[in-house]
Amino acid sequence: MASTTAMFSGLSGLNTNARQLEVIGNNISNVNTNAFKSSRLLFSSQLQRNISLGSGPSGANGGTNPSQIGLGVGIGATQRNFVSGGTSTTGIASDLAIEGDGFFILNSSGDQFYTRDGAFQFNATNDLITTSGARVQGYAVDENFQIIEGQLTDLNIPLGVATIAEATQNVEFSGNLNADGAIPTTGAVFDFGALQDNTATDITLATLLVDLNGAPLTAGDEITISGAERGGKTVPDATFTVSATNTVQDFLDFMQRTLGVVPAGGYNVADPNQPGPESGDYSIAAGVITFRGNIGELNDLVLGSENIVVNGGAGTNPFGPAKVASANGESVRTTYVIYDSLGTPINVDLTMALSRTDDGGTYWRTFLHSADDTDQRLHLESGSDEFTPYLQFDNNGRLVDTTPISVELDRTLTGATDPLFFDLRFDTEGSNVTALASPEGEAGVSTIASTFQDGSPLGVLSSFSVGVDGVITGGFSNGLSRTIGQVAVAKFTNPEGLIDAGGNQFSVGPNSGTPLVTSPLEFGTGRILGGALELSNVDLSQEFINMILTSTGYSAASRVITTSDELIQQLLLIGR
């Protein structure tokens, strides 16, 4: 009967409005849930009872419309609103928000899920995870810190674990070389007393050490240079082991290497761009060895008989150097630190000595020494051979040729890349060396210092940040920064087709489409905001209005049932 049908129609209204209230309640309860997407329930009318389908117009009748009575209301659909919520800045580096249509990709027990909630944290192995433990997916980097695109992996940010060091490639200098300084006339000069071989003939460079007369050496003897000085700095000890074939020249070459004397380290009067014999050489005349150091006061050598020890002092020393002249000439020295590929700090001395002046300007000779060079040679190779080019300054004190000086430093058996190559730069933007006369009252003052070097010692990953493109940049304790990964994102053709898996996570649904996995900023996925979180997109004012309407609808549906009951009661009274 009609009253019964009305009751069931009212019941459908009660059920549907109750479901609407559940949706509203869920939205309101998640008003503070990160990146929550609100839903709405859409009502749909139920089947109709057809009394008449109507008729078309005819010559006798104008036609009638259908006559139908509805049988109540039902749930048409629930629709999720994927409009982005507001953004809240947190300052926490692991918090991420997406400003666009993308989703973060998660790996949970081998299954892939998607989320907009970027409240990430770290586990015990430094994996980036959600609060429920799902691992955030992205791209790793290779050994050269280049992103490996197209291969998703668990993002790992090894704070306090990852280390890095960087070999020096460039060193820059600044300062002024005193153009009025004294012109050198000699390096340190030593004479070794007249020596003869075992036939009482004056020695030559080719004389065997084991053939020396008076203080014979034998194969296996050790000659140690200990406590000698160059420019006021003690030279590291070095030992020469005598063999049956070693000559006097072999020993003199050893002395040059040990004392840091650059062979032919003077200047050539005829051609200043070529090495000359005025310093850094040795000779023998009438059995007397003459040994010369390099020009410049700071290249002066201190060497005596007590500094040449045979067999730890137990043997007889055939060499007794007597200093004939001290090195002279304007010079300046600076010590700077560079780093090899393992981050080992290496001290290097740069000494610059005024070589000569002419109408074209001034010429300065560079000398490089390092006790950390692993071969026996204390001076460093530079340029195309052992001869370091001169630095020429013009009449205005400016460097004529700004080409950097290339230096080679041996790191044999240290585990680092061998050799270490780096460039010395004397004219760069904001840092340059000039050769001008010192101000009055400061005669003889040359100054030079290292202003920049690009190597770094061992550093530990101490911080990180995520860029708008999802690239994760790690900051190390030594000041270096490197790319250590990239956050990947996914985009769906129909995000409303995703299935809510709980915990702010979604899974692929039949109508969502296949996820497009890519990098942020690509294909409309949006940009990443580091140190921020997306807020819920629930509109409380709208939800309260919907709640009032739902309450009204529920009350009205209940009134239909009440009225139907009253009609039934009246019908029953007729039969009494």
Side-chain angles (χ1 to χ4, degrees), residues 30 32-33 36 50 55 64 79 91 130 134 137 176 215 219 230 248 261 368 371 397 405 423 451 456 486 547 572:
N30 283 282
N32 290 317
T33 300
F36 177 77
N50 297 319
S55 61
T64 60
Q79 187 179 42
T130 66
Q137 301 294 283
N176 180 67
R230 178 182 50 80
V248 172
V261 175
L368 292 158
I405 295 176
D423 290 340
T451 57
S456 292
Q486 184 179 25
M547 189 160 50
L572 292 175

Side-chain angles (χ1 to χ4, degrees), residues 195-204 207:
L195 295 172
Q196 296 178 326
D197 61 19
N198 54 19
T199 63
T201 302
D202 291 340
I203 66 168
T204 66
T207 299

Side-chain angles (χ1 to χ4, degrees), residues 217-293:
L217 296 168
T218 60
D221 284 346
E222 294 183 342
I223 307 174
T224 302
I225 295 180
S226 177
E229 295 182 6
R230 178 182 50 80
K233 285 192 172 185
T234 301
V235 174
D237 292 356
T239 298
F240 181 90
T241 302
V242 178
S243 73
T245 58
N246 284 143
T247 64
V248 172
Q249 182 172 354
D250 293 334
F251 178 69
L252 293 177
D253 287 341
F254 161 76
M255 285 186 58
Q256 280 190 333
R257 294 192 298 268
T258 301
L259 297 174
V261 175
V262 181
Y267 62 89
N268 188 305
V269 176
D271 186 350
N273 291 316
Q274 294 298 321
E278 283 72 16
S279 73
D281 68 345
Y282 51 76
S283 60
I284 297 180
V288 177
I289 300 173
T290 300
F291 184 89
R292 302 177 182 85

Side-chain angles (χ1 to χ4, degrees), residues 210-436:
V210 295
D211 287 343
L212 291 178
N213 189 23
L217 296 168
T218 60
D221 284 346
E222 294 183 342
I223 307 174
T224 302
I225 295 180
S226 177
E229 295 182 6
R230 178 182 50 80
K233 285 192 172 185
T234 301
V235 174
D237 292 356
T239 298
F240 181 90
T241 302
V242 178
S243 73
T245 58
N246 284 143
T247 64
V248 172
Q249 182 172 354
D250 293 334
F251 178 69
L252 293 177
D253 287 341
F254 161 76
M255 285 186 58
Q256 280 190 333
R257 294 192 298 268
T258 301
L259 297 174
V261 175
V262 181
Y267 62 89
N268 188 305
V269 176
D271 186 350
N273 291 316
Q274 294 298 321
E278 283 72 16
S279 73
D281 68 345
Y282 51 76
S283 60
I284 297 180
V288 177
I289 300 173
T290 300
F291 184 89
R292 302 177 182 85
N294 295 129
I295 58 174
E297 289 185 9
L298 290 174
N299 279 324
D300 191 33
L301 299 174
V302 174
L303 180 68
S305 297
E306 68 278 8
N307 302 123
I308 303 178
V309 182
V310 179
N311 294 333
T316 303
N317 179 12
F319 304 104
K323 192 168 187 178
V324 177
S326 296
N328 58 26
E330 176 72 14
S331 61
V332 63
R333 180 174 60 205
T334 185
T335 301
Y336 55 94
V337 178
I338 61 173
Y339 301 92
D340 65 15
S341 61
L342 297 179
T344 304
I346 299 169
N347 289 314
V348 179
D349 288 339
L350 168 65
T351 304
M352 301 192 69
L354 177 61
S355 178
R356 75 186 194 97
T357 61
D358 61 19
D359 291 339
T362 58
Y363 300 83
W364 295 77
R365 180 71 161 82
T366 60
F367 300 91
L368 292 158
H369 301 88
S370 177
D372 296 313
D373 190 66
T374 54
D375 66 9
Q376 204 172 52
R377 179 168 37 208
L378 188 61
H379 73 268
L380 306 182
E381 299 91 340
S382 58
S384 58
D385 52 29
E386 295 180 5
F387 168 61
T388 303
Y390 283 83
L391 293 183
Q392 179 183 357
F393 295 84
D394 63 20
N395 300 124
N396 295 311
R398 294 189 295 262
L399 192 61
V400 174
D401 185 357
T402 60
T403 303
I405 295 176
S406 296
V407 183
E408 176 184 334
L409 191 148
D410 296 304
R411 299 299 291 157
T412 308
L413 302 179
T414 63
T417 301
D418 176 59
L420 169 63
F421 292 103
F422 60 97
D423 290 340
L424 305 184
R425 300 178 181 274
F426 298 91
D427 192 340
T428 57
E429 185 177 354
S431 181
N432 65 299
V433 176
T434 59
L436 302 169

